[in-house]
C-alpha cells in the first residue's frame, strides 16, 4: 500500500531535527541519479522517509537517502549535502528553453562544475540551504515566488553569505533598482544570455575557488 508522507510541520518539532537534514525531490533525484517521478514513487512506497509541507511539497531525509544508496547502490558515495570537490552552480530559470541552453553550454565547456537546474524560485528556496552552491544564477521574473523575493530571503541566511550571485534577466537595470535592487556583490546581466561572458566568469570563479580551497 502506498504510504502518505508524514507532516513536515510535525517532524520539525523533533529535538534532533536540523534544517540541513532534508532536501526537496529535485535535489534528491540528483543525489540518487534517478528521475523526480521515481523518487516520488519511492517516497509513496515508504522506501525513503519524507514529509509533506502544508503547501504539499515533499521534503526528504538525507539520512534516508544515504541508507537507500547504501542498500541499493553501495558502490556510490554517500549523498553529501555540501560537496566541495567541484564548483557547485545552481541555475534558477522558469523558461525551459533557457534551461536547455544553459545545460548545453555547461556540457560543451566540460568544466569542473556540478550544475543543478530548478524551474522556480520556490524550489530553490527549499533546497538552497542544503545545497549551498558556490554560485547562484537566477532569473527575476518567475511565476509564484519571483527572483527578487528569493534574493531578499537569501540575504537573511548567514549560511549563504559566501555564495556568488549572478542575475540574468530581461528586466532593465532601472526596474531592478526600483524594486529594491540586488544583494551586495551580486552581478547583473540583461538577457539575451552572453554565454561568452558567462564562460569567462565561471572560469575565473573556478580559479579563485581553487586558490581559496
Amino acid at each position: 500500500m502506498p504510504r502518505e508522507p508524514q507532516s513536515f510541520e510535525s517532524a520539525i518539532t523533533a529535538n534532533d531535527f536540523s534544517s540541513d537534514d532534508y532536501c526537496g525531490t529535485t535535489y534528491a533525484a540528483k543525489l540518487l541519479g534517478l528521475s523526480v517521478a521515481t523518487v516520488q514513487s519511492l517516497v509513496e512506497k515508504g522506501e525513503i522517509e519524507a514529509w509533506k509541507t502544508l503547501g504539499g511539497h515533499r521534503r526528504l531525509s538525507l539520512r534516508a537517502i544515504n541508507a537507500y544508496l547504501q542498500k541499493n547502490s553501495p558502490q556510490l558515495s554517500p549523498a553529501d549535502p555540501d560537496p566541495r570537490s567541484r564548483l557547485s552552480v545552481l541555475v534558477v530559470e522558469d523558461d525551459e528553453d533557457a534551461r536547455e541552453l544553459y545545460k548545453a553550454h555547461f556540457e560543451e565547456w566540460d568544466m569542473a562544475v556540478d550544475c543543478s537546474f530548478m524551474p522556480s524560485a520556490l524550489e530553490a528556496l527549499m533546497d538552497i540551504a542544503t545545497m549551498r552552491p558556490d554560485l547562484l544564477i537566477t532569473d527575476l521574473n518567475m511565476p509564484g515566488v519571483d527572483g527578487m523575493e528569493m534574493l531578499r530571503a537569501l540575504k537573511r541566511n548567514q549560511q549563504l553569505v559566501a555564495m556568488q550571485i549572478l542575475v540574468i534577466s530581461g528586466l532593465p537595470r532601472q526596474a531592478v533598482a526600483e524594486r529594491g535592487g540586488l544583494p551586495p556583490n551580486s552581478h547583473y546581466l540583461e538577457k539575451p544570455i552572453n554565454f561568452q561572458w558567462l564562460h569567462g566568469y565561471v572560469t575565473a570563479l573556478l580559479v579563485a575557488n581553487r586558490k581559496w580551497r
Side-chain angles (χ1 to χ4, degrees), residues 120-201:
S120 73
L122 179 59
E123 286 188 55
L125 282 172
M126 291 173 66
D127 281 339
I128 198 165
T130 301
M131 298 173 73
R132 297 187 193 179
D134 301 301
L135 170 63
L136 168 66
I137 302 174
T138 184
D139 193 3
L140 292 179
N141 276 339
M142 291 181 280
V145 177
D146 70 9
M148 296 295 292
E149 292 176 274
M150 177 181 69
L151 292 176
R152 282 194 288 269
L154 296 181
K155 285 172 64 176
R156 299 191 293 267
N157 192 325
Q158 293 302 307
Q159 294 178 322
L160 301 172
V161 291
M163 180 180 68
Q164 301 295 308
I165 298 174
L166 174 59
V167 174
I168 303 180
S169 172
L171 282 177
R173 290 179 182 271
Q174 183 177 349
V176 175
E178 290 172 352
R179 294 182 60 184
L182 301 176
N185 303 320
S186 58
H187 298 277
Y188 182 79
L189 290 178
E190 286 191 33
K191 289 184 175 179
I193 305 166
N194 185 333
F195 283 103
Q196 183 176 357
W197 185 95
L198 182 60
H199 181 274
Y201 177 75

Side-chain angles (χ1 to χ4, degrees), residues 91-103:
V91 178
V92 183
E93 171 60 70
D94 65 307
D95 185 83
E96 185 176 359
D97 290 338
R99 289 198 307 274
E100 290 302 318
L101 272 176
Y102 278 116
K103 290 178 184 178

